[in-house]
Amino acid sequence: MKIAFFDSGIGGLSVLAEALRRFSEAEFLYFADEDHVPYGTKSRVEIVRLSLDAVGFLVSRGADGVVVACNTATSAAISELRGAFSVPVIGMEPAVKLAADSFGARPTLLIATPLTIAGEKLARLVGRLECETWSLPLPRLVEFAQDLEFDSPAVRAYLWEELAKFELARLGSLVLGCTHFNYFKDVLREILPSHVRIIDGIDGTLNRLSSELGGGLKLARGEDLSVQAAKFNASDEVEFDTNSSAQTYKFDAEGGNESCVGKNIAGGRSESGGKIYYPNGNSVEYFYSGRALDAAQLRKVELFLKRLDAMREIS
């Protein structure tokens, strides 16, 4: 079974990383629309167009289901995507209901992109809740994440200034309404009072994925989830060690010593390239706006996954 994940950039890797831990013997595709990131400041019409293009590419690659691992794209385009494609399309929703059910005696603070916060989908969701919900757009966090700037003085100053607008001591929970925000859990944890819980929507999304596919995804065994040292091997003999959330894997580039991007035939998209093989028999093909990644780009992906692994236990 082949499952695709789509995001405007690298935020959706947080969802993919958890899927790699949870499932086994699955083929995954990951599409980062790096040519057009960020989505959160674009018009709804433009996001719908870009999302249709991205999901269409993934379906053409054989995806049996697509996870829109982007709250902004879900808010803007999920209805159009479900209407355009016959495969299951699962979206990301801010976990404000979970926050209300768990910590509803205190207010919830949702941080997200401007478009997600302004969207009708979120307004309907929040309107059904009895919990007091505050909202804060943080568009610069997406830019910081894309630039691998996670805990710099600029990031800390930005978050301190924005969060200071609220009476944090009253909060019960902080909801991460953008998958890019999972990279900043440690900085958020330092700023927030210790009783405030940090919540995201990843578990709910993957639960929905399992339900939609009717048992087509096989759960990983518990012993497969232990952290293991790993070595990265690319066709240009790049090697490095890591302890990422993806854990043990190898890069298998087709075509001998050719670039793992492969050949661009007559202006079309590369059909060669490689897969990353992960524990539990999982594999992932990564694409930047429809292009296969080269070794340097794959190293960057690994840095993101390593960061996510460090953030995983922070709540």
Side-chain angles (χ1 to χ4, degrees):
M1 177 161 287
K2 189 176 289 189
I3 308 301
F5 294 79
F6 154 57
D7 183 40
S8 61
I10 50 80
L13 287 172
S14 58
V15 189
L16 173 63
E18 189 60 32
L20 287 168
R21 297 177 63 93
R22 182 178 298 198
F23 304 118
S24 65
E25 300 177 22
E27 288 186 80
F28 295 115
L29 306 173
Y30 185 84
F31 184 107
D33 194 5
E34 293 282 324
D35 287 352
H36 304 103
V37 66
Y39 278 13
T41 55
K42 288 180 168 55
S43 69
R44 181 182 179 277
V45 171
E46 187 173 7
I47 295 170
V48 169
R49 177 181 63 80
L50 293 171
S51 298
L52 287 169
D53 287 347
V55 175
F57 170 79
L58 293 167
V59 171
S60 75
R61 303 287 299 194
D64 298 298
V66 179
V67 176
V68 183
C70 173
N71 293 86
T72 300
T74 298
S75 177
I78 194 67
S79 296
E80 286 82 358
L81 292 172
R82 287 172 175 163
F85 301 101
S86 59
V87 302
V89 180
I90 294 89
M92 290 286 300
E93 280 194 344
V96 290
K97 186 179 187 304
L98 173 61
D101 291 344
S102 303
F103 310 101
R106 290 175 174 266
T108 294
L109 175 59
L110 167 67
I111 58 175
T113 65
L115 191 143
T116 297
I117 288 176
E120 294 181 7
K121 197 173 194 305
L122 178 64
R124 291 195 300 268
L125 178 60
V126 171
R128 295 194 296 266
L129 305 177
E130 297 181 1
C131 176
E132 184 179 1
T133 304
W134 306 336
S135 298
L136 174 64
L138 292 175
R140 287 190 63 196
L141 272 195
V142 176
E143 299 170 15
F144 283 131
Q146 289 292 134
D147 292 337
L148 283 86
E149 190 174 350
F150 301 124
D151 58 359
S152 68
V155 168
R156 292 173 181 275
Y158 176 61
L159 287 175
W160 273 106
E161 180 180 358
E162 293 298 319
L163 291 170
K165 299 173 182 177
F166 297 88
E167 193 177 349
L168 300 181
R170 289 187 55 204
L171 287 178
S173 60
L174 177 89
V175 173
L176 306 179
C178 174
T179 51
H180 282 84
F181 294 178
N182 286 275
Y183 294 94
F184 302 96
K185 283 184 176 180
D186 55 348
V187 180
L188 291 167
R189 184 70 278 165
E190 291 176 14
I191 296 172
L192 295 168
S194 60
H195 70 272
V196 177
R197 298 297 299 274
I198 300 174
I199 300 173
D200 63 47
I202 294 176
D203 279 344
T205 299
L206 294 182
N207 289 341
R208 178 68 182 273
L209 174 64
S210 295
S211 175
E212 288 281 342
L213 295 178
L217 280 171
K218 181 179 178 181
L219 292 177
R221 300 189 307 274
E223 60 266 27
D224 290 331
L225 302 181
S226 60
V227 176
Q228 305 169 43
K231 180 170 287 188
F232 179 97
N233 297 291
S235 60
D236 59 358
E237 298 182 350
V238 175
E239 297 184 359
F240 64 90
D241 295 326
T242 183
N243 283 307
S244 76
S245 59
Q247 296 155 22
T248 305
Y249 63 91
K250 62 181 179 178
F251 180 79
D252 180 19
E254 299 174 1
N257 292 323
E258 293 180 356
S259 166
C260 51
V261 175
K263 294 181 179 179
N264 191 316
I265 306 298
R269 293 190 179 98
S270 168
E271 292 298 326
S272 65
K275 289 184 180 180
I276 306 291
Y277 291 90
Y278 291 88
N280 312 323
N282 294 321
S283 65
V284 183
E285 286 186 88
Y286 293 94
F287 299 96
Y288 274 6
S289 300
R291 302 182 300 275
L293 276 64
D294 61 22
Q297 291 167 326
L298 286 167
R299 285 198 299 272
K300 188 175 180 181
V301 166
E302 189 56 33
L303 291 175
F304 290 129
L305 291 173
K306 187 173 183 179
R307 173 70 179 178
L308 288 168
D309 191 60
M311 298 298 101
R312 190 173 185 274
E313 301 303 323
I314 297 175
S315 63

